[in-house]
Amino acid sequence: MSIGILPCQGSSNTGMMTNKVTLNKVDGKEFKTVCALGLPLGIEGIIKNAKSNEEFVALNGCPIKCASKALLSVGIDDFKEITVTDLGIQKNGNMKDETGIEKLSAKLDEVVESLRKIL
């Protein structure tokens, strides 16, 4: 089983938090990161690598949901979705602000556990 995690990596505190919690989770075996930029750019190797995962989690920093849109752009439409601002974490321009990151990490753990039960 492998779960692909796609962080938004946007230029805000919420985007940076998606990247950080992804890096803390990814182990290259059960959890793999998916390249946020390579998917919508149509880079074949990145798309093939992404589609090799059995399940996906889109980590969106805000309601624009770029991570979800990147997955949808290559036909991956069966995924779990987390939006940081939906967790009550305010988006701002301070990319070093990690206020609420524990809440995001806990939510990712919760979603991952639900996927493990499916697989």
Side-chain angles (χ1 to χ4, degrees):
M1 170 188 83
S2 64
I3 298 171
I5 303 173
L6 178 61
C8 90
Q9 302 174 335
S11 58
S12 66
N13 61 317
T14 55
M16 292 297 107
M17 282 192 266
T18 68
N19 193 46
K20 188 164 187 175
V21 298
T22 297
L23 291 175
N24 287 335
K25 180 65 75 180
V26 168
D27 61 10
K29 296 174 186 154
E30 183 179 14
F31 305 104
K32 299 177 182 176
T33 190
V34 177
C35 178
L37 192 54
L39 296 180
L41 289 175
I43 300 172
E44 301 240 353
I46 292 173
I47 294 168
K48 181 180 178 184
N49 186 46
K51 288 184 174 183
S52 71
N53 294 292
E54 285 113 353
E55 297 289 341
F56 297 90
V57 178
L59 287 180
N60 298 294
C62 71
I64 297 171
K65 298 186 178 184
C66 295
S68 294
K69 289 175 183 173
L71 289 172
L72 290 169
S73 76
V74 296
I76 299 171
D77 58 6
D78 185 21
F79 56 88
K80 298 291 184 184
E81 180 177 71
I82 298 170
T83 302
V84 178
T85 54
D86 288 350
L87 301 175
I89 300 168
Q90 294 291 320
K91 178 180 176 179
N92 63 52
N94 179 359
M95 295 196 292
K96 293 182 180 182
D97 180 1
E98 294 184 350
T99 304
I101 196 168
E102 305 84 15
K103 189 183 288 188
L104 174 58
S105 185
K107 182 65 176 180
L108 179 58
D109 288 343
E110 176 187 315
V111 168
V112 162
E113 282 307 310
S114 73
L115 290 172
R116 281 183 173 147
K117 290 177 184 176
I118 294 170
L119 299 175

